[in-house]
Amino acid sequence: MFGHARYSYGRRFWDEFCGTSQKGAISWVSVDEGDVVEQIRISDGRMPKFRPPFKPGETLEYENNSYTVTEVEQAECIALRGRFDEELQVGETYDFVNATGEDNRLLSGEFWGAGSMWFQGR
């Protein structure tokens, strides 16, 4: 499986690539303003319970790690190609939060209606 999605947040955009490792694990690689992050979806049983609203500078504690909220935005999917591990549609929007921790760790959440997904990466 391999897919490429482009998301807009205001005047900027970032690209995400969905792929499968040799062991069959699904990961997302996000490329945003020169930063490259590989992220793995957190399973429902381990998913953080945090919900919006978030504020930049806020601290989130998750699995004995501290993360500082660095970005709170709304994203819109503006382009898709390939195959993904979830249903995506051009034009759909969601709110997201990115929080950074030690050792270049990233905790990222996506929110729409009552739904949410969380990812961890570096």
Side-chain angles (χ1 to χ4, degrees), residues 52 73-75 93-97 109-112:
E73 296 281 349
Q74 185 176 69
T93 62
Y94 63 89
D95 296 321
F96 71 90
V97 61
E110 301 174 0
F111 308 91
W112 62 95

Coordinates of all heavy atoms in Angstrom, one line a residue, residues 52 73-75 93-97 109-112:
P52 N -9.9 18.6 22.4 CA -9.8 20.0 22.2 C -10.7 20.7 23.2 O -11.7 20.1 23.6 CB -10.2 20.3 20.8 CG -10.2 18.9 20.1 CD -10.3 17.9 21.2
E73 N -4.3 23.7 14.8 CA -4.8 24.2 13.5 C -6.0 23.4 13.0 O -6.3 22.3 13.6 CB -3.7 24.1 12.4 CG -2.5 25.0 12.7 CD -2.7 26.5 12.3 OE1 -3.8 26.8 11.7 OE2 -1.9 27.3 12.7
Q74 N -6.6 23.8 11.9 CA -7.6 23.1 11.2 C -7.0 22.7 9.8 O -6.3 23.6 9.2 CB -8.9 23.8 11.0 CG -9.9 22.9 10.3 CD -11.3 23.6 10.2 OE1 -11.4 24.6 9.4 NE2 -12.2 23.1 10.9
A75 N -7.1 21.5 9.4 CA -6.6 21.0 8.1 C -7.7 20.7 7.1 O -8.7 20.2 7.5 CB -5.7 19.8 8.3
T93 N -12.4 18.2 6.4 CA -11.6 19.0 7.3 C -11.6 18.3 8.7 O -12.5 17.5 9.0 CB -12.1 20.4 7.5 OG1 -13.4 20.3 8.0 CG2 -12.1 21.1 6.1
Y94 N -10.5 18.6 9.4 CA -10.5 18.2 10.8 C -9.5 19.1 11.6 O -8.7 19.8 11.0 CB -10.0 16.7 11.0 CG -8.6 16.5 10.4 CD1 -7.5 16.6 11.2 CD2 -8.4 16.1 9.1 CE1 -6.2 16.4 10.7 CE2 -7.2 15.9 8.6 CZ -6.1 16.0 9.4 OH -4.8 15.8 9.0
D95 N -9.7 19.1 12.9 CA -8.8 19.9 13.8 C -7.6 19.0 14.1 O -7.8 17.8 14.3 CB -9.5 20.4 15.0 CG -10.6 21.3 14.7 OD1 -10.4 22.2 13.8 OD2 -11.7 21.2 15.4
F96 N -6.4 19.6 14.3 CA -5.3 18.8 14.8 C -4.5 19.5 15.8 O -4.5 20.7 15.9 CB -4.5 18.3 13.6 CG -3.6 19.4 12.9 CD1 -2.4 19.6 13.3 CD2 -4.2 20.1 11.8 CE1 -1.6 20.6 12.7 CE2 -3.4 21.0 11.2 CZ -2.1 21.3 11.6
V97 N -3.7 18.7 16.6 CA -2.8 19.3 17.5 C -1.4 18.5 17.4 O -1.5 17.3 17.1 CB -3.3 19.1 19.0 CG1 -3.5 17.7 19.4 CG2 -2.3 19.8 20.0
G109 N -2.6 14.6 17.3 CA -4.0 14.2 17.4 C -4.8 14.8 16.3 O -4.6 16.0 15.9
E110 N -5.8 14.1 15.8 CA -6.8 14.6 14.8 C -8.2 14.4 15.3 O -8.5 13.4 15.9 CB -6.6 13.8 13.5 CG -5.2 13.9 12.9 CD -5.0 13.0 11.7 OE1 -6.0 12.3 11.3 OE2 -3.9 13.0 11.1
F111 N -9.0 15.5 15.1 CA -10.4 15.5 15.7 C -11.4 15.9 14.7 O -11.2 16.9 14.0 CB -10.4 16.4 16.9 CG -9.3 16.1 17.9 CD1 -8.0 16.8 17.8 CD2 -9.5 15.2 18.9 CE1 -7.0 16.5 18.6 CE2 -8.4 14.9 19.8 CZ -7.2 15.5 19.6
W112 N -12.5 15.2 14.7 CA -13.7 15.6 13.9 C -14.9 15.1 14.6 O -15.0 14.0 15.1 CB -13.6 15.0 12.5 CG -13.6 13.5 12.6 CD1 -14.7 12.6 12.4 CD2 -12.5 12.6 12.8 NE1 -14.3 11.3 12.6 CE2 -13.0 11.3 12.9 CE3 -11.1 12.8 13.1 CZ2 -12.1 10.2 13.1 CZ3 -10.3 11.7 13.3 CH2 -10.8 10.4 13.3

